């Protein structure tokens, strides 16, 4: 796969995009939805050829892309996977995405992958460690990346920092951007009992370059309940409210609506992105 | 408190084995119990790996049913850990695992169905290739022909089974309307290849299979032809070669020393 000379990565304005999934390829080409950009999971294009690339190349011709990694395991104490880095670099050179992001989590240890976004303790040690991996990733790609706050279902006793202090520390040390997932802030605030607005006030405002929105699910347990970041439904009202607050505080930013399982028809996703777009529009109107 | 490395090792151990409780003291209980919190991750991890395995092995899933598949997947995940951050890489050993999985012993064709599905998955995602450059091939002197080492299309996979796995596979596709019963005595050799959009299946005779298998293992043309002739005295090298170059099965060559 060679760099596509016809493409250059243009910055994405403050608009709303949607996740691109295989089930929607045909509909995207036929309906040409008016969304600001498409975000793909980078690993879905790690294959060297075939259908996924055939569609992505056609879609890239008309839309900006964001490459969102789920498998690099930045927070792992294992070294970063060289083949994974090399393939990511190749894809980015080829498709010239406007945004590239990964998660503030880990998914492997001792060469064994659990393929999930696992939580880190909010400590100086963990922040320094993952920041070093973010720096390696940025050096390898020759560009700035964004790191995303993840949903957590447990906290560690020895976490001395708040989550936002941890995210800020990583971004500061590695000099990277932040992908602020509003749903994850909401889920963690509910699950761990902090004020989501305090997170928004605490996050390093000038580093946030993209926002994510998604639906979550409440799981009941004996003795309590917990919110799970399932990406399988519409964004709930409380998360839309938090998003309005975030846009007000951080300014309008490229925003993605994620939907990864129990996928609806494409127009439902476009409709969700439309809600985000109108919130961004209102914010611009207020500023103007 | 454990360092980050130790914490990750304890976490992985605790997720994979509920009896392993070394990391529990590091977890804040806060409403739910520590075990309930770990269980959420355990559930997410096993579910996503199982779904990935189902996505690459839909026919195995259909043949054994959801309950059996989840049970087999759970055992597979424990014995053959995922080794990549790309979930598409997970499941290469599912076929050999099933062959040695006692509960599946009554379905002797199941491992070969799994193998077919994995080869299909590989062919589906493999690289594109331009057709072989005939002019370049014509320029090779006749005396050097036996030293030619051909490459199969990157999206070509060879498979042989004593069971009719292709018919089983086809009968279990969503768009299949045939309800013919399948005789299990009816095996054969197949080439799976994605030359354009879709993965196609090409029936191969035993000799053609051996010939292509040799080329796929980097044997030079002379050795591959010899193997074919030992199976079939009237093996027509020129026409077989012309066919596999012409239909895009062979896409490149080099000269061995």
């Amino acid at each position: 796969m060679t760099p596509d000379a016809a493409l250059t990565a243009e910055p994405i304005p403050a608009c709303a995009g949607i996740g691109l999934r295989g089930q929607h390829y045909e509909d995207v080409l036929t309906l040409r939805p008016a969304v600001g950009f498409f975000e793909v999971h980078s690993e879905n294009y790690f294959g060297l050829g075939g259908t996924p690339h055939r569609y992505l190349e056609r879609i890239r011709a008309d839309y900006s892309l964001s490459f969102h990694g789920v498998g690099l395991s930045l927070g792992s104490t294992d070294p970063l996977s060289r083949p994974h880095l090399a393939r990511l670099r190749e894809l980015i050179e080829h498709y010239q995405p406007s945004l590239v992001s990964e998660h503030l989590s880990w998914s492997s240890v001792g060469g064994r992958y659990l393929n999930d976004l696992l939580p880190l303790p909010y400590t100086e040690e963990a922040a320094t460690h993952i920041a070093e991996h973010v720096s390696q990733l940025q050096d390898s790609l020759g560009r700035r990346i964004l790191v995303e706050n993840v949903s957590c279902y447990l906290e560690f006793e020895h976490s001395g920092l708040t989550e936002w202090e941890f995210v800020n520390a990583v971004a500061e040390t590695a000099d990277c951007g932040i992908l602020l997932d509003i749903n994850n802030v909401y889920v963690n605030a509910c699950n761990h009992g902090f004020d989501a607005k305090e997170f928004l006030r605490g996050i390093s405002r000038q580093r946030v370059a993209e926002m994510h929105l998604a639906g979550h699910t409440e799981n009941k347990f004996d003795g309590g309940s917990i919110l799970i970041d399932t990406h399988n439904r519409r964004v709930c009202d409380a998360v839309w409210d938090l998003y309005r607050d975030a846009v007000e505080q951080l300014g309008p930013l490229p925003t993605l609506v994620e939907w990864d399982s129990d996928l609806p028809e494409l127009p439902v996703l476009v409709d969700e992105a439309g809600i985000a777009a109108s919130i961004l529009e209102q914010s611009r109107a207020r500023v103007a | 408190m454990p360092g980050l490395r130790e914490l990750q090792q304890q976490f992985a151990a605790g997720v994979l084995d509920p009896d392993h409780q070394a990391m529990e003291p590091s977890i804040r209980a806060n409403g739910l119990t520590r075990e309930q919190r770990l269980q959420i991750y355990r559930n997410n991890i096993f579910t996503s790996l199982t779904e990935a395995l189902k996505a690459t092995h839909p026919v195995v899933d259909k043949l054994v049913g959801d309950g059996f598949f989840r049970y087999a997947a759970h055992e597979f995940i424990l014995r053959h850990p995922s080794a990549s951050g790309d979930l598409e890489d997970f499941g290469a050993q599912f076929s050999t695992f099933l062959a040695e999985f006692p509960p599946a012993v009554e379905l002797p064709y199941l491992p070969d169905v799994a193998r077919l599905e994995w080869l299909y998955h590989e062919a589906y995602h493999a690289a594109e290739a331009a057709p072989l450059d005939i002019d370049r091939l014509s320029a090779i002197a006749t005396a050097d022909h036996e030293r030619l080492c051909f490459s199969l299309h990157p999206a070509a996979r060879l498979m042989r089974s004593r069971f009719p796995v292709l018919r089983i596979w086809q009968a279990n596709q969503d768009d299949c309307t045939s309800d013919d019963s399948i005789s299990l005595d009816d095996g054969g050799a197949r080439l799976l290849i994605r030359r354009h959009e879709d993965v196609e299946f090409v029936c191969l005779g035993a000799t053609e299979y051996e010939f292509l298998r040799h080329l796929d293992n980097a044997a030079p043309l002379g050795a591959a032809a010899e193997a074919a002739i030992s199976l079939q005295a009237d093996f027509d090298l020129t026409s077989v070669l012309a066919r596999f170059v012409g239909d895009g099965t062979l896409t490149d060559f080099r000269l061995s020393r």
Side-chain angles (χ1 to χ4, degrees):
Chain A
M1 188 164 279
T2 50
D4 189 329
L7 296 175
T8 47
E10 303 288 348
I12 293 177
C15 57
I18 58 176
L20 178 65
R21 298 292 170 263
Q23 291 91 320
H24 293 148
Y25 283 151
E26 273 300 331
D27 286 343
V28 167
L29 291 177
T30 337
L31 303 173
R32 303 273 161 180
V35 295
F37 65 105
F38 282 102
E39 188 161 285
V40 299
H41 285 176
S42 315
E43 290 79 7
N44 287 354
Y45 299 87
F46 271 29
L48 297 175
T51 303
H53 289 288
R54 214 170 42 249
Y55 280 103
L56 191 58
E57 291 192 344
R58 291 175 65 188
I59 291 165
R60 174 64 181 101
D62 294 332
Y63 292 93
S64 291
L65 291 181
S66 163
F67 267 60
H68 185 52
V70 296
L72 190 55
S73 193
L74 279 176
S76 172
T77 48
D78 284 356
L80 291 180
S81 159
R82 284 171 183 276
H84 199 110
L85 277 179
R87 182 59 184 149
L88 186 60
R89 184 170 56 228
E90 209 172 41
L91 283 172
I92 285 168
E93 281 170 2
H94 180 75
Y95 284 106
Q96 296 289 319
S98 302
L99 295 166
V100 177
S101 53
E102 250 291 352
H103 293 87
L104 287 178
S105 61
W106 63 284
S107 57
S108 59
V109 64
R112 173 171 205 145
Y113 279 79
L114 300 169
N115 301 91
D116 193 13
L117 304 173
L118 304 174
L120 288 162
Y122 305 137
T123 60
E124 298 287 347
E125 181 203 11
T128 307
H129 176 76
I130 194 166
E132 170 57 29
H133 277 173
V134 173
S135 298
Q136 283 178 26
L137 173 60
Q138 294 189 132
D139 290 348
S140 165
L141 300 180
R143 64 183 285 166
R144 193 177 207 225
I145 67 144
L146 313 180
V147 292
E148 181 186 340
N149 58 303
V150 298
S151 281
C152 291
Y153 312 116
L154 61 79
E155 285 187 308
F156 295 102
E157 287 288 2
H158 58 302
S159 284
L161 304 172
T162 63
E163 189 188 353
W164 55 94
E165 286 167 346
F166 177 78
V167 175
N168 289 345
V170 175
E172 196 65 40
T173 309
D175 191 17
C176 65
I178 295 171
L179 194 183
L180 184 64
D181 188 310
I182 301 296
N183 181 58
N184 291 347
V185 171
Y186 180 81
V187 162
N188 287 355
C190 294
N191 286 348
H192 305 303
F194 63 80
D195 180 358
K197 291 186 181 172
E198 203 184 338
F199 190 121
L200 294 186
R201 283 192 297 271
I203 199 76
S204 176
R205 172 191 170 144
Q206 68 284 5
R207 291 196 179 270
V208 180
E210 184 189 351
M211 294 198 226
H212 269 183
L213 293 163
H216 58 255
T217 305
E218 182 177 3
N219 276 17
K220 302 240 187 266
F221 272 80
D222 286 345
S225 72
I226 193 159
L227 302 185
I228 308 284
D229 181 34
T230 43
H231 294 191
N232 66 341
R233 59 185 62 198
R234 282 181 182 268
V235 177
C236 74
D237 289 344
V239 171
W240 281 124
D241 286 343
L242 190 60
Y243 176 61
R244 282 187 195 91
D245 291 342
V247 171
E248 196 162 309
Q249 274 188 39
L250 306 168
L253 290 167
T255 301
L256 181 89
V257 178
E258 297 183 288
W259 202 316
D260 294 312
S261 57
D262 304 330
L263 272 184
E265 295 293 314
L266 182 62
V268 177
L269 269 76
V270 176
D271 187 52
E272 286 281 272
I275 300 173
S278 69
I279 292 170
L280 292 169
E281 189 50 48
Q282 287 158 19
S283 155
R284 270 191 296 264
R286 269 199 305 278
V287 172
Chain B
M1 280 299 156
L4 188 57
R5 179 83 182 160
E6 194 187 345
L7 185 76
Q8 292 181 341
Q9 286 165 338
Q10 288 175 355
F11 191 107
V15 157
L16 295 167
D17 176 7
D19 293 333
H20 188 103
Q21 295 172 350
M23 83 153 308
E24 291 210 6
S26 304
I27 302 173
R28 254 177 226 169
N30 188 17
L32 302 184
T33 66
R34 298 180 170 101
E35 172 52 27
Q36 281 174 324
R37 293 186 178 277
L38 260 191
Q39 178 58 31
I40 295 167
Y41 283 100
R42 196 175 291 135
N43 185 50
N44 285 354
I45 289 164
F46 279 94
T47 301
S48 68
L49 287 167
T50 300
E51 292 304 322
L53 212 51
K54 270 191 178 202
T56 45
H57 298 86
V59 174
V60 171
D61 182 29
K62 227 170 173 176
L63 290 171
V64 301
D66 181 65
F68 189 101
F69 194 95
R70 284 182 186 283
Y71 171 55
H74 191 95
E75 296 303 302
F76 178 73
I77 292 162
L78 291 176
R79 279 187 239 171
H80 297 271
S82 167
S84 164
D86 176 8
L87 270 177
E88 301 279 2
D89 291 340
F90 180 64
Q93 307 100 332
F94 196 44
S95 161
T96 49
F97 164 83
L98 287 173
E100 290 161 8
F101 187 52
V105 74
E106 281 171 36
L107 301 173
Y109 50 84
L110 199 61
D112 281 2
V113 174
R115 188 154 57 96
L116 178 75
E117 295 203 284
W118 188 260
L119 295 176
Y120 184 96
H121 172 66
E122 286 188 339
Y124 185 85
H125 289 287
E128 322 288 335
L132 190 142
D133 181 347
I134 301 286
D135 292 341
R136 211 182 115 227
L137 184 59
S138 311
I140 304 292
T142 313
D144 288 333
H145 281 182
E146 64 178 32
R147 295 199 293 126
L148 281 167
C149 285
F150 285 93
S151 313
L152 271 66
H153 192 296
R157 297 290 182 279
L158 292 163
M159 159 138 195
R160 188 164 58 175
S161 173
R162 63 193 174 96
F163 301 107
V165 286
L166 180 56
R167 288 196 54 206
I168 294 171
W169 187 88
Q170 285 164 337
N172 284 284
Q173 297 305 303
D174 289 339
D175 55 0
C176 177
T177 50
S178 159
D179 56 0
D180 294 348
S181 60
I182 297 169
S183 161
L184 285 183
D185 302 327
D186 191 11
R190 299 284 184 278
L191 168 70
L192 286 75
I193 185 165
R194 196 196 82 240
R195 283 172 286 225
H196 308 291
E197 300 212 356
D198 299 319
V199 178
E200 303 158 56
F201 299 93
V202 181
C203 289
L204 297 175
T207 318
E208 293 166 327
Y209 172 82
E210 271 309 308
F211 178 66
L212 286 179
R213 194 178 66 83
H214 274 76
L215 295 183
D216 201 27
N217 291 339
L221 187 61
E226 221 167 89
I229 289 163
S230 75
L231 284 178
Q232 186 188 328
D234 64 348
F235 179 73
D236 182 351
L237 176 61
T238 312
S239 72
V240 169
L241 198 55
R243 170 187 157 198
F244 288 132
V245 168
D247 70 7
T249 302
L250 303 176
T251 49
D252 201 1
F253 67 88
R254 62 183 174 83
L255 278 178
S256 72
R257 290 178 193 176

